Amino acid sequence: MSIVIDKNICKSCGRCLSVCPGSLIKKDTENKAFIKYPKDCWGCTSCIKECPFDAISFYLGADIGGMGSKMTVKQRDHYLDWNIEKTDGTVETIVIDKKESNKY
Amino acid sequence: MEIKRKERLETDILIIGGGTAGCYAALTIAVESPECSVIIAEKANIKRSGCLAAGVNAINAYIVEGRKPEDYVDYANKDADGIVREDLLLTMSEGLNRVTAKMENLGLVILKDENGKYVARGNRNIKINGENIKPIMADAVKKLSNVTVINQVNITDYIIENNEIAGAYGFSIEEDNTDGNLSGVAYEIRAKKVLCATGGASGLYKPNNPGFSRHKMWYPPFNTGAGYAMGINAGAEMTTFEMRFIALRCKDTIAPTGTIAQGVGAKQVNALGENYEGKYGITTSQRVYGTVKENLEGRGPCYLRTEGISEAQDDSLKKAYLNMAPSQTLKWIESGKNPSEQNVEIEGTEPYVVGGHTASGYWVDTNRETTLHGLYAAGDVAGGCPQKYVTGAMVEGEIAAKAMVAAIQSENKTLSEKSADEFDKKVAEYDAILQNTTATYSIEQLEEAMQKVMDTYAGGIGNHYQFNESQLALAEEKILKIQELAENVKAEDMHELMFAYELKERLTVCLTLIAHLRARKETRWHSFAENLDYPEKSDEWLKYVNTKKENGKIEVIFRDLVKRGETYEHSNR
């Protein structure tokens, strides 16, 4: 369970560093964010919701059945667009309306 | 690295831990007594820290129409088979709807019917969109002018003077870089009253996924039992640690099962497709126990039977999980099979000590004051009040906040004198770990050793949650040895210094847990405390098992049950 931060997209704003409930994200020598303790990630996805530049994606470890897909999320008004990109390049999108309650 | 800066702060109330209970306490103090100064010392950042980081699927503790708070007390009492504090459960239950209304005011989305009434999910739950429940609380707290939030400060010890709490020591997990060289910052925070709201303890046992995904667990891996450990070491009385919590979860992702079970009515079935719920009972521990037994008797794996649900139900499930446990939705998509096409495999987690679900934690009076004068406890760290969940943790924060404010107003005392010596000693202890050159074992190695011992000898997953007295004796012996080794670890930076203290905290909690497991000589809750030397339950054990560490030794104290309608006050602290 962990995340990948795309160094080329990261703008060094530091928002992911402060929001991580484990403080696991730090800055490297180029001032870019990186996950220093990938095995310590809880998988809460707070950082990917926080990043304004969609630089962070989330994946399942192979030990829990991960197949290499990457999950990102985009904030749009009161919507969260969750995108899951599979290894074959196809993307599945699920839109969550934050104003709507869970059905269950 | 060394500590170069020593910060000394003063406040009326110090809240340790800015999670659910801590934040709600701050919101309450601001209403009750806006002139009262508050510091929240938070290990991470209150925006997403604690149990609510990813969100929560529903409000699981609510008094729905036609029910009363007493019904909730009955439910929790039954689930814990009698070992609860009814005074705490009732005062908690009476506040559930009040705090829910406040959360709705702050912006929490709650599902309503055409008449504007909340839509119930079962007898005690209401439906919400809880993805942003923590940011909503955190935003409200940040607006309070009397509250200072200090993020990324790890508190390690209470300051106790004249048998009374006087504040706490800790350090920033971020380095100071003001003079171009990285160094550490230590804190002494003096307060008239302190609220411990640090949450429960995870990471005591070898987890379901011990490798790369070791932190893909039910409870926050960052809740390491700091509050319990500080209390234990300061001589606070603890209760019912032996009622461990084991969650029944979706395999691998360790995502909640309740949403599937309640949402689409999925039953627990074994590999033969047989519904085994009726066979073992449906209390929280019985659901776990049944799953263990079915596996042991060769009828595993076990599942939630979702095959055959509709496409619309598939979609609703995937959305619901994105709002609380996104990994499960990702898992469904990656597997190429929706829940309607494949039953969801389930497993029990490793055991935790967590007072929001079971009754483990500080022994408190009805006002949530602990046995240490001036120290209060709320949320997962407070004992006696199981099934409190999110809203119950808020109510406890509220009760403790009101009691602290009232005490400050009536006592009219001033902050005690600073003792520079004690602070210096604490800083020297931090520096010794930062500058240690003789460490043989890494913090990680010792954590793994601890988890293996607990798994093998104190009823972990590997032992199907079972133990006997010989095993517990070995567990104690081995944890004590690891505790010795943990006195000689090294931290390269301030974050690792936190890891060092987290290890020490967990070891302290393990020893108290073992003492509790040994003391209750019966099996009242299958799996949660499955003592093979005493496989039956007995009415003789309708009492609390409490412990208190005195002169380095854990003493067991048995106490009579506190009944509904009683108010409990500490009489012999």
Side-chain angles (χ1 to χ4, degrees):
Chain A
M1 180 60 46
S2 201
I3 55 153
V4 222
I5 304 176
D6 189 331
K7 230 169 137 161
N8 299 316
I9 305 174
C10 174
K11 302 271 186 283
S12 308
C13 72
R15 290 175 67 161
C16 57
L17 276 76
S18 63
V19 81
C20 174
S23 308
L24 307 174
I25 305 174
K26 310 284 180 191
K27 280 190 179 168
D28 64 15
T29 48
E30 297 166 62
N31 205 29
K32 302 281 189 180
F34 77 107
I35 177 147
K36 189 171 177 190
Y37 307 100
K39 281 167 78 177
D40 289 352
C41 172
W42 189 24
C44 72
T45 67
S46 297
C47 56
I48 69 172
K49 292 174 202 162
E50 196 72 16
C51 178
F53 313 105
D54 308 326
I56 312 179
S57 54
F58 167 75
Y59 65 96
L60 296 180
D63 60 337
I64 56 169
M67 298 289 290
S69 299
K70 284 181 179 172
M71 185 182 235
T72 55
V73 66
K74 227 180 171 51
Q75 305 259 4
R76 177 169 55 85
D77 308 324
H78 55 90
Y79 297 100
L80 284 174
D81 295 343
W82 293 83
N83 297 304
I84 295 102
E85 188 183 345
K86 296 191 188 172
T87 47
D88 63 6
T90 56
V91 178
E92 186 163 332
T93 301
I94 301 176
V95 180
I96 298 286
D97 184 344
K98 288 162 87 171
K99 290 190 174 174
E100 237 172 54
S101 302
N102 289 347
K103 202 155 174 212
Y104 303 130
Chain B
M1 184 165 297
E2 63 175 326
I3 307 281
K4 282 202 180 149
R5 194 149 61 88
K6 294 179 203 168
E7 288 278 350
R8 290 193 165 87
L9 305 173
E10 291 185 349
T11 183
D12 290 326
I13 295 173
L14 168 63
I15 298 175
I16 308 174
T20 316
C23 282
Y24 205 90
L27 291 169
T28 306
I29 296 163
V31 174
E32 293 288 311
S33 177
E35 68 286 350
C36 193
S37 62
V38 178
I39 288 178
I40 299 180
E42 162 60 44
K43 183 175 175 179
N45 183 304
I46 65 162
K47 185 167 183 181
R48 291 277 183 182
S49 61
C51 297
L52 300 174
V56 64
N57 62 324
I59 294 294
N60 291 312
Y62 188 81
I63 310 302
V64 300
E65 203 165 82
R67 301 263 167 177
K68 40 189 202 309
E70 286 79 3
D71 297 331
Y72 199 91
V73 178
D74 289 338
Y75 151 70
N77 188 327
K78 195 175 167 203
D79 207 72
D81 207 350
I83 309 300
V84 295
R85 284 272 302 275
E86 291 207 335
D87 59 324
L88 301 177
L89 276 171
L90 187 60
T91 47
M92 182 270 282
S93 302
E94 285 167 346
L96 293 172
N97 293 18
R98 188 170 63 237
V99 299
T100 304
K102 173 142 180 156
M103 287 309 296
E104 189 180 25
N105 269 333
L106 292 175
L108 182 69
V109 171
I110 305 180
L111 188 63
K112 288 182 173 163
D113 63 16
E114 60 273 20
N115 301 316
K117 289 188 174 159
Y118 297 154
V119 177
R121 185 188 92 164
N123 293 330
R124 298 171 290 273
N125 306 14
I126 55 172
K127 297 177 181 182
I128 63 168
N129 184 322
E131 185 280 320
N132 59 352
I133 185 167
K134 190 69 206 294
I136 287 172
M137 285 184 88
D139 283 348
V141 168
K142 281 183 232 163
K143 285 182 192 144
L144 305 172
S145 55
N146 62 321
V147 177
T148 307
V149 178
I150 312 177
N151 287 316
Q152 298 190 310
V153 165
N154 187 53
I155 298 294
T156 60
D157 301 84
Y158 294 135
I159 306 171
I160 308 279
E161 284 164 2
N162 306 321
N163 196 28
E164 194 167 349
I165 191 106
Y169 297 119
F171 56 83
S172 172
I173 65 159
E174 289 297 302
E175 285 78 23
D176 203 12
N177 192 17
T178 40
D179 60 355
N181 291 311
L182 294 180
S183 63
V185 184
Y187 284 88
E188 177 193 73
I189 308 174
R190 294 250 153 198
K192 292 175 186 163
K193 302 287 168 194
V194 175
L195 173 64
C196 179
T198 51
S202 67
L204 308 174
Y205 286 81
K206 188 171 163 185
N208 291 102
N209 309 304
F212 179 75
S213 300
R214 64 184 183 185
H215 275 185
K216 188 61 245 171
M217 54 174 61
W218 166 72
Y219 198 60
F222 318 114
N223 286 15
T224 53
Y228 296 139
M230 290 191 292
I232 291 165
N233 288 330
E237 189 170 328
M238 295 286 160
T239 190
T240 325
F241 270 38
E242 75 279 11
M243 196 196 290
R244 305 177 301 171
F245 185 69
I246 299 160
L248 186 68
R249 302 298 268 191
C250 301
K251 191 169 181 304
D252 296 331
T253 59
I254 318 298
T257 47
T259 302
I260 302 173
Q262 294 201 39
V264 301
K267 298 291 177 206
Q268 289 175 225
V269 295
N270 62 22
L272 307 173
E274 299 161 343
N275 177 345
Y276 61 87
E277 287 180 2
K279 208 161 142 189
Y280 303 96
I282 55 165
T283 65
T284 312
S285 63
Q286 287 164 341
R287 284 180 179 279
V288 174
Y289 178 66
T291 307
V292 172
K293 286 296 266 189
E294 288 298 304
N295 273 289
L296 277 175
E297 288 170 13
R299 292 184 294 275
C302 295
Y303 301 92
L304 282 174
R305 188 163 53 207
T306 52
E307 280 174 18
I309 63 170
S310 69
E311 231 173 82
Q313 286 177 312
D314 272 338
D315 286 346
S316 295
L317 278 180
K318 285 198 269 188
K319 284 187 173 178
Y321 276 88
L322 282 176
N323 286 333
M324 57 166 168
S327 47
Q328 183 60 32
T329 305
L330 181 54
K331 176 121 184 173
W332 275 320
I333 291 171
E334 288 221 285
S335 72
K337 278 189 181 170
N338 283 323
S340 62
E341 299 163 284
Q342 188 174 51
N343 290 335
V344 177
E345 196 177 335
I346 52 177
E347 64 181 339
T349 65
E350 72 276 17
Y352 304 88
V353 178
V354 53
H357 287 250
T358 66
S360 315
Y362 277 91
W363 181 247
V364 292
D365 68 10
T366 308
N367 280 329
R368 273 63 176 178
E369 189 177 5
T370 71
T371 55
L372 299 175
H373 291 272
L375 176 71
Y376 294 72
D380 285 350
V381 85
C385 188
Q387 257 82 22
K388 65 182 81 147
Y389 307 132
V390 177
T391 38
M394 291 173 179
V395 179
E396 287 202 325
E398 183 188 51
I399 293 170
K402 286 182 177 173
M404 288 188 291
V405 166
I408 287 174
Q409 286 168 348
S410 67
E411 288 166 11
N412 197 20
K413 70 168 191 177
T414 48
L415 283 171
S416 61
E417 282 294 306
K418 292 165 195 162
S419 60
D421 281 5
E422 289 302 308
F423 189 24
D424 288 346
K425 261 195 241 164
K426 192 44 66 179
V427 171
E429 182 187 304
Y430 299 154
D431 276 339
I433 300 170
L434 289 165
Q435 290 161 10
N436 187 1
T437 53
T438 62
T440 308
Y441 299 108
S442 68
I443 296 164
E444 190 171 3
Q445 276 177 299
L446 295 183
E447 182 181 293
E448 196 180 332
M450 168 191 69
Q451 291 181 345
K452 186 179 169 192
V453 167
M454 294 301 286
D455 184 66
T456 311
Y457 301 106
I461 297 170
N463 234 350
H464 317 292
Y465 309 122
Q466 306 171 127
F467 51 83
N468 62 28
E469 293 196 334
S470 312
Q471 289 169 322
L472 291 176
L474 277 170
E476 185 193 27
E477 188 183 320
K478 288 167 192 284
I479 293 293
L480 281 168
K481 287 192 173 146
I482 298 169
Q483 202 171 37
E484 270 173 48
L485 296 173
E487 287 307 307
N488 185 30
V489 290
K490 174 171 178 53
E492 296 285 348
D493 57 26
M494 297 307 285
H495 195 114
E496 284 190 21
L497 186 60
M498 176 172 72
F499 288 157
Y501 279 89
E502 289 178 339
L503 172 68
K504 290 168 191 268
E505 287 154 10
R506 284 173 163 141
L507 288 163
T508 301
V509 175
C510 284
L511 287 170
T512 291
L513 170 56
I514 292 165
H516 276 259
L517 290 171
R518 287 173 97 167
R520 183 173 286 282
K521 297 187 189 305
E522 65 159 355
T523 294
R524 178 159 298 268
W525 319 282
H526 281 306
S527 298
F528 287 11
E530 190 88 41
N531 190 331
L532 295 179
D533 287 331
Y534 305 94
E536 306 296 331
K537 77 169 174 179
S538 152
D539 283 350
E540 277 170 50
W541 286 95
L542 276 169
K543 57 187 171 192
Y544 308 111
V545 172
N546 288 5
T547 53
K548 190 175 172 181
K549 198 160 138 184
E550 277 175 312
N551 306 317
K553 201 171 170 290
I554 300 169
E555 306 287 347
V556 175
I557 304 159
F558 297 111
R559 288 193 185 273
D560 294 335
L561 297 182
V562 180
K563 298 291 184 193
R564 201 171 322 194
E566 290 177 24
T567 298
Y568 183 81
E569 288 176 26
H570 297 303
S571 52
N572 52 350
R573 55 181 178 173

